[in-house]
């Protein structure tokens, strides 16, 4: 895949490839702004450099082209290859425009035509499959997305909008109108893309329904600080007078993470939300339920009590638990098709919340066979109100788990599996191969009383730890990069699912 990143950055490794000159335009810019003339370009936007280093590891999968503005470049465009990445720097000509348009307002708004022309020229030459515009709040290069052929998908990413020193964090209808007028073309473009997406989504959903397929959607409990929701509704979050986060979301320390996890999301002010009967949350849930047939709510325990730490904490050790809205938030949607993720720190409060809302929780079959007869993931220890997975997107595929078990642990796993199958009146042949173990787990799941059964495709295809979907709390090249190749879905796997589906009426 050929990918273009449009972003602004610099580092010392690349500076040697990029000769600069002190032009008349630069001297004028420095004179107007009363700053000394710099003789070198300093490193900035290190997050882009770090991202590119990660992409260097994927050069066998992705051909990455960087397009970046560079002030005082000796040539209009300089292109080169370094460590498998294709770099394309163009001379940044925004200083003069910024001066002229700011000093002489009757000229209107700057259009950055020179920058846009350079980016358009490079995009036409590269012919990428997709474009990722990093820092879309910067019009000096992000306006170039208006010139991209409509056949090329564009992914737009805003950078820390709420943290920008010159961003007005106090929302007002007047400010919103001003921003929409200033970026009218971009606003209309993305309004159109959302309109088209909803149309296409509805067609896909109708097609699925015609084929008796339901769609499960997912909703996270927290939002990003940079979201429009926080800017538009600051009173719904625990922010100070400067609209900075007072506390941030976190995960309590455990055996896997002795320092805990810093999630860094803003914390809801549930006392304020209660005044209008949690209208914002209810609207969010109803909108999601309109998109999907079944809605999975992540980190459901956070609605009973949630864990938070002070903003600026270096770890999550010194946090505190606070009460959430509990079942009061869900009183009008108790009859909806909702699944809740309850794979978390369980206590009496969470159990009481689950009992009151009656939503099915989750059980993981690969965690069931540890020799403990009271293991909550065993189908025989559950009623029908649960969703049974062989493993989840956050877990290791079953084949990978079997590869990591010692002989002793594997023997316990297999014997426990056979005993559980016996409890559900399933005959079991000798499980000589790991594939036999996985097949017996899939059949057990189908035979169980679970409301829904979910078999990740990695288990269906006997794929190992190298095909893991996600490793929580870790930033790595393999997270969320799993793809199914065209020749991997064989008719044999489909026949197996059909056989179990017909036999156990699923």
């Amino acid at each position: 895949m050929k990918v273009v990143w449009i972003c602004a950055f610099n580092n010392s490794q690349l500076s040697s490839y990029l000769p600069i000159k002190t032009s008349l335009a630069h001297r004028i810019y420095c004179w107007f702004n009363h700053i000394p003339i710099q003789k070198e370009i300093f490193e900035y936007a290190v997050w882009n450099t770090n991202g590119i280093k990660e992409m260097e590891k994927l050069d066998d999968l992705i051909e990455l082209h960087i397009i970046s503005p560079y002030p005082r470049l000796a040539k209009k465009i300089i292109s080169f290859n370094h460590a498998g990445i294709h770099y394309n720097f163009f001379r940044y000509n925004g200083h003069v425009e910024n001066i002229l348009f700011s000093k002489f307002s009757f000229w209107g708004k700057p259009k950055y035509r020179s920058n846009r022309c350079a980016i358009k020229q490079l995009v036409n030459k590269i012919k990428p499959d997709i474009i990722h515009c990093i820092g879309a709040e910067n019009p000096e290069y992000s306006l170039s997305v208006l010139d991209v052929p409509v056949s090329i998908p564009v992914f737009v990413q805003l950078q820390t909008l709420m943290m920008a020193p010159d961003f007005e964090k106090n929302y007002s209808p007047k400010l919103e109108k001003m921003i929409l007028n200033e970026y009218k073309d971009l606003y209309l473009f993305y309004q159109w893309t959302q309109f088209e997406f909803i149309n296409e989504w509805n067609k896909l959903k109708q097609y699925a329904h015609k084929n008796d397929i339901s769609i499960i959607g997912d909703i996270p409990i927290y939002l990003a600080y940079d979201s429009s929701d926080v800017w538009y509704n600051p009173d719904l979050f625990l922010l100070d007078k400067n609209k900075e986060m007072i506390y941030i979301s976190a995960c309590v320390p455990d055996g896997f993470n002795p320092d805990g996890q810093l999630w860094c999301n803003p914390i809801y002010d549930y006392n304020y939300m209660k005044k209008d009967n949690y209208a914002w949350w209810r609207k969010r849930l109803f909108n999601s339920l309109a998109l999907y047939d079944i809605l999975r709510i992540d980190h459901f325990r956070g609605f009973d009590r949630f864990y938070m730490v002070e903003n600026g904490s270096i770890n999550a050790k010194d946090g505190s638990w606070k009460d959430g809205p509990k079942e009061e938030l869900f009183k009008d949607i108790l009859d909806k098709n909702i699944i809740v993720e309850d794979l978390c720190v369980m206590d009496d409060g969470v159990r009481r919340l689950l009992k009151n809302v009656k939503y099915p929780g989750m059980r993981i079959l690969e965690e069931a066979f540890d020799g403990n007869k009271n293991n909550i993931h065993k189908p025989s220890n559950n009623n029908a109100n649960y969703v049974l997975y062989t493993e989840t997107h956050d877990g290791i595929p079953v084949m990978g788990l079997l590869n990591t078990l010692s002989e002793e642990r594997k023997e316990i796993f297999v014997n426990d599996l056979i005993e559980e199958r016996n409890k559900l009146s399933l005959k079991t042949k000798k499980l000589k191969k790991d594939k036999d173990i996985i097949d017996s787990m899939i059949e057990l799941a189908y035979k169980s009383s679970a409301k829904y059964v979910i078999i990740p495709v990695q288990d269906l295809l006997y794929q190992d730890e190298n095909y893991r979907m996600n490793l929580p709390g870790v930033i790595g090249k393999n997270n969320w990069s799993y793809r199914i190749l065209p020749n991997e879905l064989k008719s044999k796997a489909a026949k197996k699912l059909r056989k179990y589906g017909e036999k156990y009426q699923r």
Side-chain angles (χ1 to χ4, degrees):
M1 184 191 302
K2 193 179 289 187
V3 178
V4 159
W5 279 9
I6 302 177
C7 57
F9 78 107
N10 182 44
N11 62 55
S12 56
Q13 279 188 316
L14 301 179
S15 293
S16 59
Y17 292 91
L18 301 168
I20 62 174
K21 65 178 182 179
T22 305
S23 64
L24 176 62
H26 178 69
R27 289 196 290 270
I28 293 172
Y29 173 78
C30 292
W31 180 75
F32 263 99
N33 290 276
H34 309 288
I35 58 176
I37 297 176
Q38 295 178 349
K39 299 192 184 234
E40 59 180 311
I41 308 299
F42 297 101
E43 182 166 327
Y44 58 92
V46 67
W47 51 87
N48 285 329
T49 297
N50 293 338
I52 292 168
K53 286 180 180 177
E54 287 295 320
M55 295 297 289
E56 289 175 1
K57 305 171 186 176
L58 299 174
D59 60 347
D60 56 332
L61 298 174
I62 295 174
E63 181 183 312
L64 181 62
H65 295 254
I66 306 296
I67 298 179
S68 179
Y70 202 85
R72 295 153 45 213
L73 203 58
K75 297 181 180 178
K76 184 177 179 181
I77 294 176
I78 293 180
S79 301
F80 57 90
N81 187 296
H82 177 75
I85 305 296
H86 303 269
Y87 291 92
N88 304 273
F89 289 91
F90 64 90
R91 186 189 299 149
Y92 168 64
N93 291 311
H95 293 324
V96 175
E97 282 194 63
N98 282 334
I99 293 170
L100 293 176
F101 282 91
S102 62
K103 300 295 181 182
F104 309 105
S105 58
F106 59 85
W107 281 4
K109 300 288 182 182
K111 303 297 184 183
Y112 305 106
R113 297 189 189 281
S114 177
N115 293 354
R116 290 169 64 175
C117 183
I119 294 173
K120 183 178 180 179
Q121 177 183 337
L122 287 166
V123 169
N124 289 338
K125 179 182 177 182
I126 296 167
K127 295 181 171 58
D129 298 302
I130 191 169
I131 293 175
H132 183 181
C133 184
I134 305 174
E137 74 280 2
N138 188 339
E140 294 172 0
Y141 59 88
S142 65
L143 283 176
S144 62
V145 301
L146 297 174
D147 308 314
V148 171
V150 294
S151 58
I152 302 176
V154 178
F155 176 63
V156 177
Q157 176 182 340
L158 297 174
Q159 290 177 2
T160 56
L161 191 58
M162 289 286 284
M163 297 178 186
D166 57 345
F167 181 72
E168 178 52 66
K169 298 179 181 179
N170 293 305
Y171 169 82
S172 70
K174 182 179 178 181
L175 177 61
E176 180 183 18
K177 185 177 180 180
M178 184 184 73
I179 292 173
L180 294 183
N181 286 334
E182 185 172 355
Y183 299 101
K184 184 177 179 180
D185 290 342
L186 278 176
Y187 168 68
L188 291 175
F189 173 74
Y190 287 110
Q191 191 177 54
W192 171 79
T193 59
Q194 286 294 310
F195 174 79
E196 284 297 309
F197 168 77
I198 291 297
N199 281 340
E200 292 181 18
W201 174 261
N202 288 335
K203 289 177 182 178
L204 174 64
K205 192 176 178 182
Q206 290 171 9
Y207 175 79
H209 288 176
K210 285 181 181 178
N211 290 276
D212 296 323
I213 295 173
S214 298
I215 299 174
I216 300 178
D218 195 278
I219 185 171
I221 186 171
Y222 290 119
L223 295 174
Y225 176 56
D226 283 339
S227 66
S228 58
D229 290 271
V230 176
W231 181 58
Y232 200 89
N233 306 287
D235 292 336
L236 302 182
F237 304 88
L238 294 178
L239 308 177
D240 63 19
K241 63 180 181 180
N242 297 317
K243 302 299 187 291
E244 301 285 345
M245 293 182 289
I246 304 172
Y247 302 99
I248 58 173
S249 62
C251 182
V252 65
D254 56 25
F256 298 101
N257 294 283
D259 289 335
Q261 298 177 45
L262 296 176
W263 294 344
C264 299
N265 307 94
I267 298 297
Y268 298 112
D269 187 344
Y270 283 120
N271 290 330
Y272 186 90
M273 286 184 165
K274 189 175 182 178
K275 294 177 182 178
D276 63 0
N277 197 23
Y278 308 102
W280 179 89
W281 249 117
R282 287 151 54 80
K283 183 178 180 181
R284 188 180 184 214
L285 289 168
F286 276 111
N287 283 344
S288 296
L289 287 164
L291 282 175
Y292 316 118
D293 302 302
I294 304 168
L295 179 63
R296 175 189 176 274
I297 302 177
D298 193 41
H299 195 62
F300 191 70
R301 78 134 301 119
F303 293 102
D304 176 61
R305 290 192 307 145
F306 57 89
Y307 189 74
M308 67 181 190
V309 298
E310 289 188 7
N311 189 16
S313 298
I314 61 174
N315 58 52
K317 289 182 177 180
D318 298 322
S320 59
W321 289 94
K322 300 296 179 182
D323 282 338
K326 306 185 187 301
E327 60 267 23
E328 186 178 358
L329 175 59
F330 305 96
K331 60 186 179 183
D332 293 335
I333 54 171
L334 295 177
D335 60 336
K336 303 298 182 182
N337 285 327
I338 291 176
I339 299 169
V340 298
E341 184 272 298
D342 57 346
L343 308 172
C344 52
V345 179
M346 295 292 289
D347 55 31
D348 290 340
V350 183
R351 296 185 187 97
R352 186 165 49 250
L353 174 60
L354 289 168
K355 182 180 178 181
N356 290 339
V357 297
K358 297 182 173 60
Y359 298 144
M362 295 169 55
R363 298 293 180 264
I364 314 301
L365 208 50
E366 73 172 5
E367 297 181 16
F369 310 122
D370 58 357
N372 178 7
K373 293 183 178 181
N374 297 319
N375 187 309
I376 63 168
H377 295 286
K378 283 183 166 65
S380 60
N381 290 332
N382 287 276
N383 57 28
N385 195 36
Y386 69 102
V387 182
L388 184 58
Y389 297 69
T390 47
E391 49 94 6
T392 71
H393 57 275
D394 285 337
I396 185 172
V398 175
M399 183 65 79
L401 174 69
L402 297 174
N403 289 342
T404 63
L405 293 178
S406 64
E407 288 187 18
E408 181 182 0
R409 282 285 297 112
K410 192 170 184 178
E411 184 178 357
I412 293 172
F413 187 97
V414 171
N415 290 338
D416 220 2
L417 168 60
I418 294 173
E419 184 178 341
E420 188 65 19
R421 285 176 59 88
N422 291 337
K423 289 180 180 179
L424 272 64
S425 303
L426 286 171
K427 295 181 180 179
T428 307
K429 297 178 181 178
K430 286 188 177 181
L431 304 178
K432 295 181 179 179
K433 299 180 180 179
D434 288 349
K435 289 184 178 181
D436 298 331
I437 297 174
I438 295 172
D439 284 341
S440 68
M441 290 174 65
I442 294 174
E443 185 181 19
L444 174 64
Y446 269 73
K447 178 67 189 296
S448 72
S449 63
K451 185 174 183 178
Y452 304 114
V453 168
I454 296 178
I455 312 296
V457 71
Q458 292 97 323
D459 294 341
L460 191 61
L461 301 178
Y462 311 120
Q463 293 175 335
D464 60 18
E465 62 273 15
N466 295 309
Y467 296 85
R468 183 171 188 158
M469 182 74 75
N470 180 49
L471 183 61
V474 173
I475 298 175
K477 65 177 183 178
N478 293 325
N479 277 3
W480 304 109
S481 63
Y482 177 77
R483 299 292 184 270
I484 303 171
L485 299 178
N487 62 343
E488 287 182 325
L489 289 175
K490 307 290 186 181
S491 59
K492 185 178 180 181
K495 288 177 181 178
K496 177 168 58 181
L497 287 184
R498 179 167 185 167
K499 180 182 77 172
Y500 292 149
E502 291 177 346
K503 186 175 181 179
Y504 301 113
Q505 298 182 347
R506 289 193 178 274

